Structures are given as structure tokens and as C-alpha cells.
Amino acid sequence: MNLQDFEAQYREAMAETLNELQTAVLLLAQVQNKISKIGNSVQNISEKVEEFIGDQKAE
């Protein structure tokens, strides 16, 4: 393998690895967003249940 072949393989491997890293970062951002939405849903459900329980006890 000569220097030009080595350089070409290096650049191709580096470009592919960086693309994979970028994909992973974007997926992580999507997961973080989904976790946040789920957390908000759980909080809303909890508040509604607590309100319902309070209303039932008041009756």
C-alpha cells in the first residue's frame, strides 16, 4: 500500500466514522426530546390523578 492509498482509506474511514457520530448525536437529541415529553406526560397524569383523588375524598 502506498501513501496515496493509505490516505484515501484513512479519509474514507474518517468520513464514515464522523457521519456515524453525527447520526448518533442526532438520535440522542431525539431520545432526549422524547424522554422530556414522556416526563411531562407522567407529570400531567399524576396531577390529574391527585386532583381526582382529592375531589373524591371531598365528596
Side-chain angles (χ1 to χ4, degrees), residues 23-48:
T23 299
V25 169
L26 292 172
L27 288 171
L28 178 58
Q30 290 176 343
V31 169
Q32 288 173 325
N33 186 40
K34 182 61 99 177
I35 289 170
S36 177
K37 287 180 179 180
I38 292 168
N40 289 337
S41 293
V42 168
Q43 185 175 4
N44 290 337
I45 291 168
S46 178
E47 289 170 0
K48 289 181 181 186

Side-chain angles (χ1 to χ4, degrees), residues 1-56:
M1 175 184 302
N2 63 32
L3 181 59
Q4 288 177 337
D5 292 340
F6 178 79
E7 182 182 12
Q9 286 183 4
Y10 160 77
R11 291 183 185 276
E12 183 179 337
M14 186 60 76
E16 183 178 334
T17 302
L18 289 172
N19 283 338
E20 290 176 2
L21 178 60
Q22 183 178 31
T23 299
V25 169
L26 292 172
L27 288 171
L28 178 58
Q30 290 176 343
V31 169
Q32 288 173 325
N33 186 40
K34 182 61 99 177
I35 289 170
S36 177
K37 287 180 179 180
I38 292 168
N40 289 337
S41 293
V42 168
Q43 185 175 4
N44 290 337
I45 291 168
S46 178
E47 289 170 0
K48 289 181 181 186
V49 167
E50 291 296 327
E51 182 181 340
F52 176 76
I53 291 170
D55 290 347
Q56 294 299 308

